[in-house]
Amino acid sequence: MPKPTKKQIEAMQKCGFSPEEIEDIIKSDEAIDKGERVYFDLDPEKEKEAKKFAKAGTRKAPTVYKLDNTEGKRSRKENPTKAGIIAEIAKFLAENSENACENVEITNKERQIAFKIGENCYEFTLVQKRKPKN
């Protein structure tokens, strides 16, 4: 750390440090920067307390997920309304559409339908919006 600036010295003076104390602080900082161990005058009880706080850290326990099946994945909540809508749309595209849809396939039973019209491939995705919070 470079020498303290004029501003830092003025701040220490405003805190009520005497010139001797400021000089001692600067010397201690320089020694610490060089890697020396500086011992401050603490009674044994306070030194023990300071060491305890120095060792304090935040050790975070690993997150344990509660999965409800054996494959390590959580089960999805079924949405029969979306599954019914997708099934109806797929049936309509395959049987009643005026666009001659071919290869109508439900790729995700509650979300997607893939189909082909002529040489072009299309994918239909159904999205359910969340209820607005009031």
Side-chain angles (χ1 to χ4, degrees):
M1 182 173 140
K3 289 251 183 213
T5 63
K6 209 175 202 180
K7 203 174 192 181
Q8 290 170 328
I9 293 173
E10 288 174 8
M12 286 189 263
Q13 288 171 343
K14 287 180 184 176
C15 288
F17 291 111
S18 68
E20 293 82 23
E21 290 174 318
I22 293 173
E23 190 175 321
D24 186 48
I25 291 171
I26 293 169
K27 284 181 183 175
S28 297
D29 283 348
E30 288 173 356
I32 291 169
D33 288 342
K34 290 178 184 174
E36 295 176 24
R37 182 152 173 129
V38 179
Y39 294 95
F40 299 99
D41 296 333
L42 291 176
D43 58 76
E45 189 176 307
K46 286 195 177 191
E47 188 171 347
K48 188 176 179 183
E49 191 176 329
K51 284 182 181 180
K52 183 181 100 178
F53 285 120
K55 291 180 185 176
T58 55
R59 185 181 162 273
K60 188 175 179 186
T63 305
V64 178
Y65 295 100
K66 294 179 183 175
L67 304 172
D68 49 10
N69 62 16
T70 56
E71 291 115 34
K73 297 180 180 178
R74 74 185 166 115
S75 299
R76 287 188 65 248
K77 188 175 165 185
E78 297 291 322
N79 191 336
T81 307
K82 280 180 74 177
I85 293 169
I86 288 290
E88 284 183 44
I89 293 172
K91 183 179 177 185
F92 172 79
L93 290 173
E95 298 172 5
N96 301 339
S97 176
E98 295 178 6
N99 292 318
C101 297
E102 305 167 346
N103 302 337
V104 177
E105 179 185 355
I106 298 175
T107 55
N108 183 327
K109 69 178 183 176
E110 293 180 7
R111 190 164 193 268
Q112 285 184 325
I113 301 170
F115 57 95
K116 192 174 183 181
I117 298 177
E119 292 188 15
N120 297 321
C121 295
Y122 296 92
E123 201 170 70
F124 180 87
T125 305
L126 179 66
V127 179
Q128 178 181 357
K129 297 294 183 180
R130 293 184 179 180
K131 295 177 182 173
K133 292 181 181 179
N134 290 332

